[in-house]
Structure formats: C-alpha cells, structure tokens
Amino acid sequence: MADFDIELDASGLNCPLPVLKARKELNGMKTGQKLRLIATDTGADKDIAAFAKMTSNPLLDFYIDGEKRYFLIEKGAN
Amino acid sequence: MAKKFAIIASKGTLDGGYPPFILASTAAALGYEVKIFFTFYGLQLLRKDLNPKVSPLGNPAMPMPIPVPSIIQVIPGLEWFATWMMKRKLKQKGVASIEELREICIDSGVELIACQMTVDLFDFKQTDFIDGITSGGAATFLEFSSEADTTLYI
C-alpha cells in the first residue's frame, strides 16, 4: 500500500462505526492527504467503497490480509 | 444540493432504536441532510434517561440460547435479562451503543423532531427529552419528505 498521512485503526468496531470514524477523521484532513483505515468488519469492504464514492473521497487501494482489511482513502476537494 | 433523508421512528425498543440512528448517522456521514420524526413509542429514544429494552415476548424470531416458552417469558426479570444479554452481545461485537449513535447524530447535524401530538398524548414534558430537539406535526414531516431522496418508516 502506498504512503499515507494518517492511520485510523477501526479494528473490532462494527457497522456503522468504521464509516463514522472515517468521516470524522477526513473532516480534519486537507485535500489530497491520504488516510489509511484498518478494519475487521467484513461489511466495511462494501461500505467504505460506497462511502468513498458518495462523498467523493477516492478509494485508492483496498486489500484484505487475514482478518484485517486496509483501505487507502484520499481526501477529496471539500 | 445535499441529498435528503427523512425517517419516521415509531419504535422505542432497543432493537427498534438502532435502525433509525444507524441510518441517520451514516447518511449524515455521507453528506445527507437528515431529519428523524419521532412518534408514538419512538419518543422514548429522545429521553434524557435513555434505557431502551428488548423482549422475547411476542417475538418468536428472537434468537435465545435455550428455547423459552411464551408462558415463561412473562416472568418478571426476563425482559431485564434479555436486555442485558443483548447489550452484552452488542458490546462484544463492537457495535456502538444507542446513546453513542444518538450523540453522533446530534453532532453531525441530524434534526431530531418530536411529534407534538404524541408528546401531548403521553403527557411527556420538554424536560424529559434531551436538549436540541425540535417539534412538529405531520405537515412538518411531509414538507421535508416531499423533497427527500429517501423516506423510511421504521
């Protein structure tokens, strides 16, 4: 996974907390900065993609390693 | 312009309270303007002393560790026990509490509207409810839902 500016570990948290935590973190970030989100919620695979798409914060990378899933999200304009 | 999401929350049980708060908080995170209209038993979700319960009584779909016949479910304390078990399970699975989700809704600008007719009907006082809520009637809801992208009755 490429470089990131901020890492957020939402492991152990269930729906909708990974999305809500990501939202909160992204609110404090600057356009172009990258957030690496780690989660164990299997529902987050699709949820984070939907969140990224609907809020125009591109999901640059996603992979699963064991129980952990890693999302690289770029903070979009505004 | 932001998408709009209108919800009617009519249930005040623990399991009935999750869907409106989960969907509202998530919709707010996705950039929606969200309003929840709390009516009838849903008003319990606006209480300061929030303590929603769950009961297996009249709910044959509720998973139980051992089968409990309905006649046993009326025994005092079983509702308390079922609620305690459900809350423990929710915590174990990393699910946010109702209080936490309600807090996130408020912080993210979800408008919580108490149905005035049912507030009067049940003799609720303004002081029973958390601060920052508004009140309104059927027309208030319909005005917003007429422009909403999604409307749900829960």
Side-chain angles (χ1 to χ4, degrees), chain B residues 64 76 150:
Chain B
M64 297 290 281
T150 310

Side-chain angles (χ1 to χ4, degrees), chain A residues 12-14 16 20 23 51 54-55, chain B residues 25-26 29-30 32 93-94 96:
Chain A
L13 300 178
N14 218 318
L20 300 182
R23 169 79 277 167
F51 162 74
M54 287 197 70
T55 56
Chain B
S25 57
T26 305
L30 294 176
Y32 283 74
K93 301 279 183 181

Side-chain angles (χ1 to χ4, degrees), chain B residues 20-152:
Chain B
F21 285 135
I22 287 180
L23 290 170
S25 57
T26 305
L30 294 176
Y32 283 74
E33 181 187 348
V34 190
K35 297 190 184 191
I36 316 178
F37 188 81
F38 295 85
T39 189
F40 278 84
Y41 315 110
L43 286 172
Q44 302 284 1
L45 301 173
L46 292 177
R47 293 179 73 114
K48 274 180 195 151
D49 55 343
L50 182 65
N51 187 21
K53 296 179 181 65
V54 70
S55 173
L57 197 60
N59 181 10
M62 186 170 168
M64 297 290 281
I66 46 162
V68 182
S70 293
I71 193 86
I72 306 291
Q73 290 171 17
V74 299
I75 291 173
L78 207 104
E79 182 184 279
W80 177 88
F81 180 69
T83 302
W84 175 79
M85 273 209 335
M86 179 74 95
K87 282 188 174 170
R88 194 181 63 156
K89 194 95 173 154
L90 287 161
K91 205 168 183 178
Q92 276 171 358
K93 301 279 183 181
V95 179
S97 68
I98 292 261
E99 290 87 341
E100 197 177 347
L101 289 169
R102 183 172 78 174
E103 199 61 43
I104 293 170
C105 281
I106 293 166
D107 291 347
S108 53
V110 173
E111 189 176 336
L112 309 178
I113 308 166
C115 161
Q116 192 57 53
M117 184 277 278
T118 44
V119 169
D120 294 341
L121 179 69
F122 295 129
D123 292 317
F124 276 118
K125 291 181 290 297
Q126 205 57 46
T127 50
D128 293 328
F129 300 128
I130 49 170
D131 294 333
I133 64 165
T134 60
S135 69
T140 309
F141 175 78
L142 288 166
E143 183 193 18
F144 180 70
S145 73
S146 71
E147 298 171 342
D149 300 88
T150 310
T151 301
L152 285 184

